Amino acid sequence: MTFSHPSFGALDPDRIIIFDTTLRDGEQSPGFSMNLTEKLRMAEALAELGVDVLEAGFPIASPGDFESVESIARTIKGPVICGLARTGGRDDIARAGEAIRPAERRRIHNFISTSPLHMKYKLRMEPETVLQAVIDGNTLARDYTDDVEWSAEDGSRTDPDFLCRCVEAAIKAGATTINIPDTVGYALPEDIARIFTMLRERVPGAEKVIFSAHNHNDLGLAVANTIAAIRAGVRQVECTINGIGERAGNAALEEIVMAIRTRHDALAWHSGIETPKILRTSKLLSTITGFDVQPNKAIVGRNAFAHESGIHQDGVLKNAATYEIMTPESVGWTKSSLVMGKHSGRAAFRDKLRALGYGEIGDNQLNDAFRRFKDLADRKKVVYDDDLVALVDDEVMRGHDRIRFLSLDVHTGSKAKPRAELELEIDGAAQSAVATGDGPVDATFNAIRDLFAHDAVLRLYSVGAVTEGTDAQARVTVRLEENGKMVDGQGADTDTIVASARAYVHALNKLLVKRARTEPKALSA
Ligand code: KIV
Ligand code: ZN
């Protein structure tokens, strides 16, 4: 590759650009929405992980989306900050341009469908009108930034000749990255390889742009298709942490990165990802969204490095390489280590948080987290790193909440009707309520409803454990629905009922953030 890219300058031809869309394609899937604080925390973690491009959202979708892209552009240093826009929408492109303006390096990513099916039924546009929109949209985007990406939505099901014409038009209009998404996860690896090989051979100007792959996982092929794309000359891959995304998800960042690292013998490329930070980033996303990855998930699942059978255990003890193709440490797994006990001081606590990958935490959050740590150390024999991570993520994420949990006493048993005495801080004022219910959790949720009336319906209640043992912290997820809007809240505590109250309050806060946003326009991406 001989040209100079507007954001990356002269590119190392062996370098794969990691384009993370966890906060856009990932966040737009049901149940995965995040509030501003959560998006900022996640963006910070992605920057620390070393992603090259961070797609922060879809600014035209709602004022809330605009605000989060703008805040990320203003505060997150390192990656190119990218905002999504529809190619045909002048307002879309202008909003994206405004939202990314504060970033040091910024990109507009505009997209329009090019497949016969999408053009006829979704867009109701003739191919020639779509082609003109590609020219106009990319020309306009260049008014806001030199780093412009264009995507042919449903590109893998697009007529090859028309795809070539659109790509040529986008390049002429100023696009510097050309992304061909397999929007519906339909393609096989050989289809993906054929498409990129064709574009690179046939399109005039192809040598002046970076080609990018964006694969969905409907057939479980997203990562395989991404590897096929790299082999066919693609130098940017679009992916998400834990593979979250529309329907079956997007290609998982951690799987692509570790595939090219582990199989460097066959895949002679490299990325800028700091792989020991992968697990931490994956766990943060699970804490924020309330969705744990399945135990057998590659790289980040609980069992990814667990060896159950005697034969395997014996082999690993003699030489780990017998059954481990990469070391657990290379992706961030460590032996769960002891943290300080209840006599440890604030400075040691702060040091420990730094070692766990938390940057600077504000004094108020640190004090609150430290108080909860002391409380936990009083109640729990052994405090592990995972306990601390659950506790601090809980605290850091709740920084701007209108409703805060203060205390809970529950009286329950086989005879008495369960009764909860709850104290919450609502808009800065402490308030308390006593309520009964069909169980301690029900009583607690009734007390919350008494203190903060709302119509949301409980759709899911689930309990997991942060670590092992009967004194482990419970991690509770609560899903609430109001007027078709769904939010998930999380809470962790050694007391399952307290964790439930925290999770409910968290979900309620997220609902308040959602309410504050105006209705998103009808969008398709
Ligand atoms: O899957 C898709 O086609 C997309 C585009 C907006 C890039 O997410
Ligand atoms: Zn997508």
Side-chain angles (χ1 to χ4, degrees):
M1 214 170 287
T2 50
F3 69 100
S4 174
H5 185 272
S7 289
F8 301 113
L11 273 163
D12 168 356
D14 296 335
R15 171 73 184 261
I16 300 298
I17 295 168
I18 303 292
F19 177 115
D20 180 274
T21 184
T22 306
L23 294 178
R24 199 279 298 169
D25 219 339
E27 204 254 355
Q28 93 191 16
S29 54
F32 282 87
S33 63
M34 303 174 210
N35 64 29
L36 177 60
T37 317
E38 293 167 340
K39 282 190 185 170
L40 279 169
R41 178 75 192 97
M42 199 61 217
E44 212 175 284
L46 290 167
E48 282 168 17
L49 182 66
V51 305
D52 300 293
V53 186
L54 195 162
E55 188 164 55
F58 198 174
I60 193 85
S62 73
D65 281 61
F66 178 89
E67 189 191 4
S68 32
V69 177
E70 206 262 349
S71 304
I72 290 171
R74 207 167 355 94
T75 49
I76 303 298
K77 305 291 168 221
V80 173
I81 306 298
C82 174
L84 184 70
R86 285 170 294 188
T87 298
R90 293 189 73 81
D91 290 351
D92 280 44
I93 293 177
R95 280 301 263 173
E98 271 172 61
I100 58 168
R101 189 178 298 138
E104 281 164 4
R105 292 183 300 161
R106 47 188 170 273
R107 173 178 298 188
I108 291 178
H109 173 193
N110 72 98
F111 72 97
I112 190 165
S113 293
T114 51
S115 68
L117 203 62
H118 277 219
M119 288 191 293
K120 182 166 178 196
Y121 294 104
K122 193 185 95 167
L123 298 177
R124 296 183 196 281
M125 279 166 83
E126 291 299 321
E128 293 310 310
T129 322
V130 169
L131 189 63
Q132 189 57 47
V134 172
I135 298 168
D136 296 344
N138 285 286
T139 308
L140 179 63
R142 279 297 293 253
D143 288 347
Y144 295 91
T145 173
D146 288 344
D147 187 342
V148 170
E149 172 171 338
W150 177 69
S151 282
E153 190 183 0
D154 207 18
S156 56
R157 295 193 298 174
T158 295
D159 168 68
D161 290 340
F162 186 61
L163 189 61
C164 286
R165 287 179 68 207
C166 287
V167 169
E168 183 179 350
I171 297 172
K172 280 202 182 121
T176 45
T177 298
I178 299 293
N179 184 41
I180 309 297
D182 181 27
T183 303
V184 290
Y186 176 77
L188 301 175
E190 54 266 38
D191 299 328
I192 295 288
R194 192 175 48 246
I195 290 169
F196 285 110
T197 305
M198 170 193 77
L199 292 173
R200 293 181 65 224
E201 282 173 5
R202 281 182 49 186
V203 174
E207 70 292 346
K208 288 191 287 192
V209 294
I210 290 177
F211 281 96
S212 166
H214 176 115
N215 294 312
H216 280 271
N217 206 28
D218 301 66
L219 293 174
L221 292 170
V223 172
N225 284 346
T226 304
I227 301 294
I230 294 175
R231 284 176 181 259
V234 153
R235 288 295 165 269
Q236 173 178 287
V237 295
E238 305 200 352
C239 45
T240 59
I241 299 293
N242 298 345
I244 70 168
E246 288 280 9
R247 304 178 311 277
N250 288 58
L253 179 150
E254 61 277 6
E255 296 177 19
I256 300 168
V257 166
M258 290 317 288
I260 58 178
R261 197 185 131 147
T262 307
R263 291 306 313 274
H264 198 66
D265 57 323
L267 305 167
W269 295 277
H270 60 91
S271 77
I273 294 296
E274 290 192 38
T275 63
K277 293 185 177 159
I278 284 178
L279 185 67
R280 169 84 201 88
T281 317
S282 155
K283 286 198 171 182
L284 177 66
L285 182 65
S286 295
T287 307
I288 289 176
T289 59
F291 290 104
D292 278 335
V293 297
Q294 80 267 21
N296 61 325
K297 165 82 178 64
I299 319 291
V300 293
R302 194 173 64 235
N303 291 351
F305 293 90
H307 305 281
E308 187 73 25
S309 95
I311 296 173
H312 288 204
Q313 283 175 351
D314 182 52
V316 169
L317 285 174
K318 288 175 178 147
N319 181 341
T322 50
Y323 289 99
E324 280 177 2
I325 58 169
M326 58 197 131
T327 65
E329 291 77 16
S330 66
V331 294
W333 289 97
T334 49
K335 304 244 171 331
S336 203
S337 57
L338 272 180
V339 298
M340 316 76 60
K342 60 182 172 181
H343 301 297
S344 325
R346 197 181 310 265
F349 182 70
R350 194 192 280 269
D351 276 356
K352 184 71 189 176
L353 295 190
R354 282 203 193 104
L356 284 173
Y358 292 93
E360 284 313 312
I361 294 182
D363 279 347
N364 287 346
Q365 281 167 349
L366 184 82
N367 288 345
D368 288 348
F370 185 63
R371 208 172 307 121
R372 282 183 64 186
F373 158 68
K374 286 286 196 180
D375 182 45
L376 184 65
D378 267 341
R379 285 181 287 143
K380 194 171 183 297
K381 283 188 266 321
V382 182
V383 180
Y384 294 100
D385 286 354
D386 279 353
D387 286 317
L388 265 195
V389 168
L391 183 155
V392 176
D393 282 345
D394 203 47
E395 208 53 58
V396 170
M397 242 63 81
R398 311 297 173 261
H400 301 288
D401 285 353
R402 276 183 61 193
I403 311 173
R404 289 171 71 88
F405 172 87
L406 292 180
S407 71
L408 175 68
D409 268 319
V410 176
H411 306 272
T412 189
S414 56
K415 290 185 186 144
K417 185 150 175 91
R419 183 163 158 272
E421 295 172 22
L422 176 73
E423 216 190 344
L424 298 179
E425 186 186 286
I426 303 175
D427 293 327
Q431 301 187 29
S432 55
V434 178
T436 55
D438 292 337
V441 175
D442 191 45
T444 302
F445 290 179
N446 286 340
I448 296 175
R449 272 184 221 109
D450 286 351
L451 286 177
F452 194 91
H454 57 276
D455 295 328
V457 182
L458 181 69
R459 289 285 177 224
L460 176 135
Y461 171 79
S462 82
V463 184
V466 173
T467 57
E468 286 161 17
T470 52
D471 68 347
Q473 289 195 85
R475 193 201 317 268
V476 174
T477 300
V478 161
R479 179 173 298 164
L480 296 179
E481 188 188 339
E482 186 185 69
N483 301 329
K485 294 192 186 99
M486 208 86 90
V487 288
D488 287 335
Q490 286 73 46
D493 199 280
T494 47
D495 185 312
T496 309
I497 315 299
V498 172
S500 307
R502 288 185 183 281
Y504 197 111
V505 167
H506 181 213
L508 214 44
N509 278 303
K510 284 177 113 174
L511 215 46
L512 295 179
V513 172
K514 274 216 168 204
R515 271 190 206 163
R517 294 178 176 184
T518 55
E519 280 296 306
K521 297 183 180 172
L523 295 167
S524 53

